[in-house]
Amino acid sequence: MRDHSMKKSKAETAETRQTILDAAARAFRANGIQATSLADLMAEAGLSHGGFYRHFNSKDQLVAQACASSLASLTDALEAQAHQHGFKAIVEGYLSAAHRDSRADGCPLASLGSELARADAGTRAAAAQGFARMADVMARHIGRRSKARAQSEAAFALAAMIGAVTMARIIDDPQISSALLDDVRQHLDAI
Amino acid sequence: MRDHSMKKSKAETAETRQTILDAAARAFRANGIQATSLADLMAEAGLSHGGFYRHFNSKDQLVAQACASSLASLTDALEAQAHQHGFKAIVEGYLSAAHRDSRADGCPLASLGSELARADAGTRAAAAQGFARMADVMARHIGRRSKARAQSEAAFALAAMIGAVTMARIIDDPQISSALLDDVRQHLDAI
DNA sequence: TGTACATCAGTGAACGCGCGTTCACTGATGTAC
DNA sequence: TGTACATCAGTGAACGCGCGTTCACTGATGTAC
């Protein structure tokens, strides 16, 4: 098999795979992992469900990769945001009503947290790594004397942010929900 | 129908209902709501699945009541703990490895958080009320000048605790997981 | 360049399975007289 | 007190349905010569 033979075909296959992955990452965050069927997800990607197994071995494998993919994107976005507007901007963006109200492209740790805790080892590993990397980005921009203290404060802040957004999505009353987000933001601004 | 006629029978029916509710509250927290079938749950309660609808109208109704029930128990336990050992004891208990490792009788907001955010209105209302009541108990024992400030700090602390336990359950490495819990505990002790 | 064959992404029907819910039935208990 | 009937908690089979996964097939593309 020479080098650029099949090139177009391979590129198209990779593109389809990415389309499925993107649709999965959105659908899982929007509706939950268990509540999203492969048929739903493939339809959203514009394909019939039978072709799924040309690209992934199982739903579990897709879940792990979709989780890793959405966390990597989010981490990049946080990095850019922090680089331009600092640590506070990350906290404010995460604790915004906009993030609370758009699960599909928000943080999977908040939209899928308790489902991820019961997922298989691969998915849990991807989620744990995502948490660590997000905390790292935050720590690098927190502007604090010791590195250890920055990391400790970043992990604390991130856990609080995840809990706050999860709870804010449970609380129906928009005033109470937003008050919780504001509350947590104020406390995190003070650390 | 005279007053204490049928008395024994009614009491037994109520007892069965409570058995189902207790089994549900444990099974949902242990394995998740969607992953727990009515057949599983009724078997755990020592009954066949067909009798379920003599006691509840639907799985959704059971979920809401099981959620309310486990949150009420937890709130009572927190109240007792705070009364005896103060605010710090609540935080330490919640952020303990023991709580992390025993989902079945732990806090449903941590074990079911992201599933509750997608549950029906009745369940979300029960969960939101549970959050508010837990925060109230904490606020009353936080020992702070203004009541408003105590409530704000309690809501912040509770959100952070829920996020921390959820993430600690995702992280497989027990050292890193426990370090996160310790970290959050230290920061909350300082508020 | 042209022709015969191989590959493989994608289709859509089908598989077995478990789900929430319904239902005809049982049998213990309570009610009526 | 005794007897005939009504109630209803609990059983277990059955319902329709949707799931993850498999499979025979299609047809466009790439390979061999």
Side-chain angles (χ1 to χ4, degrees):
Chain A
M1 178 179 347
R2 250 133 347 95
D3 211 45
H4 65 337
S5 60
M6 274 196 195
K7 201 174 175 187
K8 191 186 164 198
S9 193
K10 271 190 181 173
E12 280 170 347
T13 299
E15 213 173 291
T16 300
R17 190 192 143 91
Q18 192 60 47
T19 302
I20 296 171
L21 207 49
D22 292 346
R26 288 183 61 83
F28 290 149
R29 284 179 284 178
N31 306 316
I33 295 168
Q34 295 180 85
T36 300
S37 74
L38 292 184
D40 286 351
L41 189 158
M42 290 295 281
E44 206 168 309
L47 296 164
S48 63
H49 63 281
F52 174 78
Y53 293 90
R54 296 279 169 201
H55 299 280
F56 300 95
N57 293 330
S58 65
K59 186 181 180 183
D60 279 346
Q61 191 196 43
L62 172 68
V63 169
Q65 295 190 14
C67 183
S69 162
S70 53
L71 280 163
S73 300
L74 179 62
T75 305
D76 288 349
L78 287 194
E79 179 69 56
Q81 202 174 15
H83 191 261
Q84 285 179 22
H85 306 102
F87 177 80
K88 262 182 87 163
I90 289 185
V91 174
E92 276 172 26
Y94 201 105
L95 294 173
S96 67
H99 183 207
R100 177 196 63 198
D101 297 338
S102 67
R103 279 185 255 232
D105 47 12
C107 177
L109 298 176
S111 55
L112 301 173
S114 60
E115 276 193 88
L116 292 173
R118 290 186 191 87
D120 67 14
T123 301
R124 288 205 313 281
Q129 191 176 81
F131 180 85
R133 289 193 176 160
M134 286 174 65
D136 268 357
V137 170
M138 290 169 67
R140 267 188 281 108
H141 291 89
I142 205 169
R144 190 65 67 168
R145 321 111 234 177
S146 112
K147 191 177 172 187
R149 185 161 171 81
Q151 285 181 328
S152 158
E153 290 185 352
F156 167 62
L158 183 53
M161 286 153 58
I162 291 165
V165 170
T166 303
M167 291 302 114
R169 285 171 175 159
I170 289 176
I171 299 168
D172 271 335
D173 184 317
Q175 279 203 320
I176 301 178
S177 174
S178 292
L180 174 63
L181 293 176
D182 287 349
D183 218 42
V184 173
R185 183 176 43 70
Q186 273 186 20
H187 280 90
L188 291 182
D189 282 350
I191 65 171
Chain B
M1 176 179 350
R2 252 136 344 95
D3 210 43
H4 66 337
S5 59
M6 274 195 194
K7 201 173 173 188
K8 191 187 163 199
S9 194
K10 270 190 182 172
E12 281 171 345
T13 300
E15 213 172 290
T16 301
R17 189 192 145 90
Q18 192 60 47
T19 303
I20 297 171
L21 207 50
D22 292 346
R26 287 183 61 83
F28 289 149
R29 283 179 284 178
N31 307 315
I33 295 169
Q34 296 180 85
T36 300
S37 72
L38 293 183
D40 287 350
L41 187 159
M42 290 296 280
E44 207 167 308
L47 297 163
S48 63
H49 63 280
F52 173 78
Y53 293 91
R54 297 278 169 202
H55 299 281
F56 301 95
N57 294 328
S58 65
K59 186 181 180 182
D60 279 347
Q61 192 196 43
L62 173 69
V63 168
Q65 295 189 13
C67 182
S69 162
S70 52
L71 279 164
S73 300
L74 180 61
T75 305
D76 289 350
L78 286 194
E79 179 69 58
Q81 201 174 16
H83 192 260
Q84 285 179 23
H85 306 104
F87 177 80
K88 261 182 89 164
I90 289 186
V91 174
E92 275 172 25
Y94 200 105
L95 293 173
S96 68
H99 183 207
R100 178 197 61 198
D101 296 338
S102 65
R103 278 184 256 233
D105 47 12
C107 177
L109 298 177
S111 55
L112 301 173
S114 59
E115 276 193 87
L116 293 174
R118 289 186 192 89
D120 69 15
T123 301
R124 288 204 313 280
Q129 191 176 81
F131 180 86
R133 288 193 176 159
M134 286 174 66
D136 269 357
V137 170
M138 290 169 67
R140 267 188 282 106
H141 291 89
I142 206 168
R144 191 63 70 165
R145 323 108 232 181
S146 112
K147 191 178 171 185
R149 185 160 170 80
Q151 284 182 329
S152 156
E153 290 186 351
F156 167 63
L158 184 52
M161 285 153 60
I162 291 165
V165 170
T166 303
M167 290 304 112
R169 284 171 175 159
I170 289 176
I171 299 168
D172 270 335
D173 184 317
Q175 281 204 319
I176 302 179
S177 174
S178 292
L180 174 62
L181 293 176
D182 286 350
D183 217 44
V184 173
R185 182 176 44 69
Q186 275 187 17
H187 281 90
L188 291 183
D189 281 351
I191 67 169

mmCIF file of all heavy atoms in Angstrom, chain B residues 49-66:
data_model
loop_
_atom_site.group_PDB
_atom_site.id
_atom_site.type_symbol
_atom_site.label_atom_id
_atom_site.label_comp_id
_atom_site.label_asym_id
_atom_site.label_seq_id
_atom_site.Cartn_x
_atom_site.Cartn_y
_atom_site.Cartn_z
ATOM 1 N N HIS B 49 -42.305 -8.214 41.179
ATOM 2 C CA HIS B 49 -42.399 -6.871 40.603
ATOM 3 C C HIS B 49 -43.824 -6.431 40.315
ATOM 4 O O HIS B 49 -44.113 -5.234 40.255
ATOM 5 C CB HIS B 49 -41.559 -6.795 39.334
ATOM 6 C CG HIS B 49 -42.031 -7.700 38.252
ATOM 7 N ND1 HIS B 49 -41.733 -9.038 38.226
ATOM 8 C CD2 HIS B 49 -42.817 -7.480 37.170
ATOM 9 C CE1 HIS B 49 -42.292 -9.595 37.170
ATOM 10 N NE2 HIS B 49 -42.954 -8.671 36.513
ATOM 11 N N GLY B 50 -44.733 -7.409 40.114
ATOM 12 C CA GLY B 50 -46.107 -7.070 39.726
ATOM 13 C C GLY B 50 -46.855 -6.231 40.750
ATOM 14 O O GLY B 50 -47.766 -5.474 40.392
ATOM 15 N N GLY B 51 -46.498 -6.382 42.039
ATOM 16 C CA GLY B 51 -47.236 -5.680 43.086
ATOM 17 C C GLY B 51 -46.891 -4.212 43.228
ATOM 18 O O GLY B 51 -47.548 -3.481 43.971
ATOM 19 N N PHE B 52 -45.884 -3.791 42.488
ATOM 20 C CA PHE B 52 -45.406 -2.419 42.633
ATOM 21 C C PHE B 52 -46.527 -1.377 42.531
ATOM 22 O O PHE B 52 -46.608 -0.443 43.340
ATOM 23 C CB PHE B 52 -44.337 -2.131 41.577
ATOM 24 C CG PHE B 52 -43.886 -0.695 41.536
ATOM 25 C CD1 PHE B 52 -42.995 -0.209 42.480
ATOM 26 C CD2 PHE B 52 -44.378 0.186 40.577
ATOM 27 C CE1 PHE B 52 -42.590 1.119 42.461
ATOM 28 C CE2 PHE B 52 -43.979 1.514 40.552
ATOM 29 C CZ PHE B 52 -43.086 1.980 41.490
ATOM 30 N N TYR B 53 -47.409 -1.584 41.545
ATOM 31 C CA TYR B 53 -48.416 -0.545 41.249
ATOM 32 C C TYR B 53 -49.577 -0.515 42.237
ATOM 33 O O TYR B 53 -50.477 0.299 42.107
ATOM 34 C CB TYR B 53 -48.896 -0.683 39.799
ATOM 35 C CG TYR B 53 -47.778 -0.357 38.832
ATOM 36 C CD1 TYR B 53 -46.930 -1.349 38.366
ATOM 37 C CD2 TYR B 53 -47.529 0.953 38.451
ATOM 38 C CE1 TYR B 53 -45.880 -1.049 37.518
ATOM 39 C CE2 TYR B 53 -46.480 1.261 37.608
ATOM 40 C CZ TYR B 53 -45.658 0.256 37.141
ATOM 41 O OH TYR B 53 -44.615 0.555 36.309
ATOM 42 N N ARG B 54 -49.569 -1.408 43.242
ATOM 43 C CA ARG B 54 -50.503 -1.263 44.360
ATOM 44 C C ARG B 54 -50.047 -0.125 45.281
ATOM 45 O O ARG B 54 -50.800 0.343 46.119
ATOM 46 C CB ARG B 54 -50.583 -2.549 45.175
ATOM 47 C CG ARG B 54 -51.104 -3.747 44.431
ATOM 48 C CD ARG B 54 -52.623 -3.752 44.370
ATOM 49 N NE ARG B 54 -53.055 -4.784 43.422
ATOM 50 C CZ ARG B 54 -54.230 -4.784 42.824
ATOM 51 N NH1 ARG B 54 -55.103 -3.815 43.070
ATOM 52 N NH2 ARG B 54 -54.540 -5.735 41.979
ATOM 53 N N HIS B 55 -48.785 0.280 45.151
ATOM 54 C CA HIS B 55 -48.229 1.255 46.101
ATOM 55 C C HIS B 55 -47.818 2.574 45.455
ATOM 56 O O HIS B 55 -47.806 3.608 46.106
ATOM 57 C CB HIS B 55 -47.023 0.642 46.820
ATOM 58 C CG HIS B 55 -47.357 -0.577 47.610
ATOM 59 N ND1 HIS B 55 -47.954 -0.509 48.845
ATOM 60 C CD2 HIS B 55 -47.233 -1.895 47.331
ATOM 61 C CE1 HIS B 55 -48.159 -1.742 49.310
ATOM 62 N NE2 HIS B 55 -47.728 -2.599 48.401
ATOM 63 N N PHE B 56 -47.461 2.520 44.167
ATOM 64 C CA PHE B 56 -47.018 3.741 43.474
ATOM 65 C C PHE B 56 -47.616 3.781 42.067
ATOM 66 O O PHE B 56 -47.898 2.738 41.483
ATOM 67 C CB PHE B 56 -45.490 3.780 43.394
ATOM 68 C CG PHE B 56 -44.820 3.744 44.738
ATOM 69 C CD1 PHE B 56 -44.392 2.543 45.286
ATOM 70 C CD2 PHE B 56 -44.643 4.915 45.476
ATOM 71 C CE1 PHE B 56 -43.798 2.497 46.541
ATOM 72 C CE2 PHE B 56 -44.045 4.873 46.731
ATOM 73 C CZ PHE B 56 -43.625 3.673 47.260
ATOM 74 N N ASN B 57 -47.802 4.972 41.556
ATOM 75 C CA ASN B 57 -48.411 5.132 40.236
ATOM 76 C C ASN B 57 -47.428 4.914 39.094
ATOM 77 O O ASN B 57 -47.836 4.595 37.978
ATOM 78 C CB ASN B 57 -49.024 6.524 40.096
ATOM 79 C CG ASN B 57 -50.195 6.713 41.027
ATOM 80 O OD1 ASN B 57 -50.907 5.755 41.325
ATOM 81 N ND2 ASN B 57 -50.398 7.933 41.507
ATOM 82 N N SER B 58 -46.161 5.143 39.351
ATOM 83 C CA SER B 58 -45.161 5.051 38.282
ATOM 84 C C SER B 58 -43.771 5.045 38.900
ATOM 85 O O SER B 58 -43.599 5.377 40.078
ATOM 86 C CB SER B 58 -45.282 6.253 37.343
ATOM 87 O OG SER B 58 -44.949 7.434 38.048
ATOM 88 N N LYS B 59 -42.793 4.689 38.096
ATOM 89 C CA LYS B 59 -41.412 4.758 38.561
ATOM 90 C C LYS B 59 -41.044 6.198 38.899
ATOM 91 O O LYS B 59 -40.384 6.450 39.911
ATOM 92 C CB LYS B 59 -40.463 4.200 37.491
ATOM 93 C CG LYS B 59 -39.019 4.119 37.973
ATOM 94 C CD LYS B 59 -38.062 3.599 36.911
ATOM 95 C CE LYS B 59 -36.641 3.539 37.453
ATOM 96 N NZ LYS B 59 -35.654 3.078 36.453
ATOM 97 N N ASP B 60 -41.487 7.145 38.075
ATOM 98 C CA ASP B 60 -41.178 8.555 38.327
ATOM 99 C C ASP B 60 -41.671 9.003 39.705
ATOM 100 O O ASP B 60 -40.964 9.724 40.416
ATOM 101 C CB ASP B 60 -41.804 9.443 37.247
ATOM 102 C CG ASP B 60 -40.964 9.475 35.972
ATOM 103 O OD1 ASP B 60 -39.795 9.029 36.007
ATOM 104 O OD2 ASP B 60 -41.470 9.934 34.939
ATOM 105 N N GLN B 61 -42.882 8.569 40.044
ATOM 106 C CA GLN B 61 -43.413 8.956 41.353
ATOM 107 C C GLN B 61 -42.545 8.368 42.474
ATOM 108 O O GLN B 61 -42.243 9.043 43.456
ATOM 109 C CB GLN B 61 -44.857 8.473 41.492
ATOM 110 C CG GLN B 61 -45.569 9.078 42.700
ATOM 111 C CD GLN B 61 -46.836 8.326 43.055
ATOM 112 O OE1 GLN B 61 -46.870 7.092 43.057
ATOM 113 N NE2 GLN B 61 -47.886 9.078 43.376
ATOM 114 N N LEU B 62 -42.178 7.109 42.310
ATOM 115 C CA LEU B 62 -41.305 6.480 43.305
ATOM 116 C C LEU B 62 -39.983 7.226 43.432
ATOM 117 O O LEU B 62 -39.490 7.455 44.539
ATOM 118 C CB LEU B 62 -41.029 5.019 42.916
ATOM 119 C CG LEU B 62 -39.990 4.293 43.777
ATOM 120 C CD1 LEU B 62 -40.513 4.061 45.186
ATOM 121 C CD2 LEU B 62 -39.569 2.966 43.134
ATOM 122 N N VAL B 63 -39.422 7.608 42.304
ATOM 123 C CA VAL B 63 -38.142 8.320 42.324
ATOM 124 C C VAL B 63 -38.264 9.596 43.154
ATOM 125 O O VAL B 63 -37.424 9.867 44.023
ATOM 126 C CB VAL B 63 -37.682 8.650 40.884
ATOM 127 C CG1 VAL B 63 -36.514 9.627 40.901
ATOM 128 C CG2 VAL B 63 -37.291 7.383 40.144
ATOM 129 N N ALA B 64 -39.323 10.366 42.905
ATOM 130 C CA ALA B 64 -39.505 11.622 43.635
ATOM 131 C C ALA B 64 -39.627 11.360 45.134
ATOM 132 O O ALA B 64 -39.011 12.057 45.951
ATOM 133 C CB ALA B 64 -40.741 12.353 43.107
ATOM 134 N N GLN B 65 -40.405 10.330 45.505
ATOM 135 C CA GLN B 65 -40.613 10.063 46.922
ATOM 136 C C GLN B 65 -39.361 9.488 47.571
ATOM 137 O O GLN B 65 -39.051 9.802 48.728
ATOM 138 C CB GLN B 65 -41.811 9.124 47.107
ATOM 139 C CG GLN B 65 -43.116 9.794 46.656
ATOM 140 C CD GLN B 65 -44.357 9.004 47.019
ATOM 141 O OE1 GLN B 65 -44.310 8.058 47.812
ATOM 142 N NE2 GLN B 65 -45.487 9.398 46.441
ATOM 143 N N ALA B 66 -38.650 8.645 46.846
ATOM 144 C CA ALA B 66 -37.416 8.075 47.394
ATOM 145 C C ALA B 66 -36.376 9.170 47.598
ATOM 146 O O ALA B 66 -35.645 9.180 48.591
ATOM 147 C CB ALA B 66 -36.871 6.991 46.467
#
